[in-house]
Amino acid sequence: MSNVDSSTYAGFTAEERAAMKDHAQDLRKATRRGTAAEKAASAAQDVLDRIAEMGESDRVMAERVHAVVTASAPTLAPKLWYGMPSYALDGKVVCFFQSAEKFKSRYATLGFSDLAQLDEGAMWAAGFALTEVTPEVEARIAELVKRAVN
């Protein structure tokens, strides 16, 4: 029996439902035929296409994040994850960019999964709010991504 009061539970938001639909589409795309290299190239293009569809502010930040992540950790493969640009190691997402516009948030997010090796004692950050990607932010992203895969 659920503890949720069904008279007040509204279910998933429209943004959450859209993200789940995106994820289902991402999974279907991942099963496409071709060589591993062709699949990787297609997944990388899907990420670039999704970034290009973003509003200007998110697009500019996502382009910079993409450039920094792919340069700092070439072992990470770009792929879509719940419709968001993400970067995976052996098919498992290590980090991702969540646009502010998609989730009607006041800031974009650079997030890290539990696979990221960012552990610092008993508590550490796994998500970072982004309002702008400056040279200092790029350096911090590069450092975090390198640590995440080592």
Side-chain angles (χ1 to χ4, degrees), residues 41-120:
S42 183
Q45 187 60 52
D46 290 343
V47 168
L48 294 173
D49 292 346
R50 185 60 50 95
I51 290 171
E53 294 169 0
M54 293 178 183
E56 184 177 357
S57 177
D58 284 336
R59 186 185 73 252
V60 168
M61 287 190 288
E63 287 171 345
R64 294 307 313 140
V65 167
H66 179 79
V68 171
V69 170
T70 56
S72 301
T75 58
L76 293 179
K79 68 183 254 179
L80 291 177
W81 183 63
Y82 290 94
M84 297 178 285
S86 69
Y87 305 88
L89 185 62
D90 298 326
K92 297 181 180 173
V93 172
V94 173
C95 63
F96 60 91
F97 177 85
Q98 180 177 303
S99 82
E101 182 180 352
K102 180 174 181 147
F103 289 95
K104 296 179 175 59
S105 175
R106 68 182 181 98
Y107 52 80
T109 304
L110 174 64
F112 290 87
S113 76
D114 61 331
L115 298 176
Q117 301 297 311
L118 299 177
D119 306 34
E120 290 180 0

Side-chain angles (χ1 to χ4, degrees), residues 1-4 6:
M1 185 115 190
S2 172
N3 290 335
V4 176
S6 62

